[in-house]
Amino acid sequence: KAGVTQTPRYLIKTRGQQVTLSCSPISGHRSVSWYQQTPGQGLQFLFEYFSETQRNKGNFPGRFSGRQFSNSRSEMNVSTLELGDSALYLCASSPTSGGGNEQFFGPGTRLTVL
Amino acid sequence: AQKVTQAQTEISVVEKEDVTLDCVYETRDTTYYLFWYKQPPSGELVFLIRRNSFDEQNEISGRYSWNFQKSTSSFNFTITASQVVDSAVYFCALSGLNSGGYQKVTFGTGTKLQVIP
């Protein structure tokens, strides 16, 4: 099976712009989670989607949003970018949304905000 | 609330030494899961192990072993006879349930392991 894919791999934006990141989970996986990774804050949970519904949300401002499509592919959007949004954004998929599922991570999208 | 603490930010060892990575967690859930993931320099996190809260048996997989102790809320990871390929950032994670009954995963801040040849 193909692994989790994320596009694009690298992005450079300027403050105030918006950005959309895409994640395709492993075939058959219905849960997709997003994380932000920065040197100072580590891995922080953004949100999880399962069957097109947001199941869980981390402590991020409303500028961060996401959605999931019927084929389980997911997108996350960040509006009005700030310098502090520069980070590696990781997507992870798992078969279901139940507790205890191992997560399969993609390579990430490296976002740089200038 | 869930919390995972990895107090060791960075560890350096010489190849073939044993090394233990510490993980301490906090949760009010009675059913939960603990994980270790490895993030090599390439950046992609790789799953290493999962334990549930009812299974305190230690586990060994090759050079890797894990010690889960509920009494001290710890889930430590030991690499025996370390190798240069073990150099990576290692994350401990805790999975519980949110108020809606869905999985909520909390990661520790990671421990960067450098194995020196």
Side-chain angles (χ1 to χ4, degrees):
Chain A
K1 282 185 178 178
V4 178
T5 58
Q6 292 186 245
T7 57
R9 293 293 311 278
Y10 301 91
L11 261 179
I12 299 176
K13 293 285 188 178
T14 57
R15 279 181 300 174
Q17 287 187 310
Q18 75 166 17
V19 66
T20 298
L21 311 182
S22 180
C23 172
S24 292
I26 290 173
S27 177
H29 285 193
R30 296 168 63 192
S31 170
V32 173
S33 297
W34 289 90
Y35 295 87
Q36 181 194 66
Q37 185 176 19
T38 58
Q41 299 296 322
L43 265 168
Q44 292 193 290
F45 172 75
L46 279 156
F47 27 66
E48 180 199 6
Y49 287 87
F50 179 76
S51 293
E52 302 178 65
T53 303
Q54 188 180 89
R55 300 296 196 187
N56 214 339
K57 190 177 190 309
N59 296 322
F60 278 82
R63 300 186 297 108
F64 292 81
S65 62
R67 59 178 175 169
Q68 186 180 36
F69 303 95
S70 59
N71 62 358
S72 294
R73 189 177 70 86
S74 177
E75 289 181 347
M76 68 163 280
N77 184 278
V78 187
S79 62
T80 319
L81 284 167
E82 300 178 359
L83 294 179
D85 297 332
S86 294
L88 180 66
Y89 290 88
L90 293 166
C91 165
S93 77
S94 56
T96 68
S97 183
N101 287 301
E102 71 181 84
Q103 294 184 300
F104 296 81
F105 284 81
T109 294
R110 173 77 63 184
L111 172 64
T112 302
V113 182
L114 302 176
Chain B
Q2 296 182 162
K3 186 177 180 181
V4 177
T5 301
Q6 294 181 256
Q8 304 151 308
T9 307
E10 291 191 40
I11 301 176
S12 289
V13 298
V14 176
E15 200 171 22
K16 297 185 182 177
E17 286 184 346
D18 299 347
V19 58
T20 296
L21 309 183
D22 298 332
C23 173
V24 175
Y25 64 92
E26 295 176 28
T27 181
R28 295 178 183 171
D29 294 339
T30 53
T31 301
Y32 53 89
Y33 296 83
L34 294 162
F35 301 82
W36 276 95
Y37 287 87
K38 173 183 180 180
Q39 187 177 38
S42 60
E44 200 161 323
L45 273 85
V46 176
F47 165 81
L48 294 177
I49 190 172
R50 169 186 55 225
R51 299 304 273 178
N52 71 53
S53 52
F54 299 107
D55 184 0
E56 285 193 72
Q57 280 190 334
N58 292 333
E59 179 149 343
I60 298 174
S61 176
R63 296 184 297 105
Y64 295 171
S65 63
W66 291 269
N67 184 343
F68 175 29
Q69 290 192 340
K70 285 180 74 171
S71 60
T72 56
S73 297
S74 64
F75 186 42
N76 297 336
F77 173 29
T78 297
I79 301 175
T80 302
S82 59
Q83 300 176 1
V84 173
V85 293
D86 297 326
S87 297
V89 180
Y90 291 86
F91 290 93
C92 179
L94 168 66
S95 171
L97 296 177
N98 68 1
S99 57
Y102 299 111
Q103 178 175 232
K104 177 181 177 181
V105 182
T106 301
F107 280 81
T109 50
T111 296
K112 183 176 182 180
L113 174 64
Q114 183 179 20
V115 181
I116 303 167

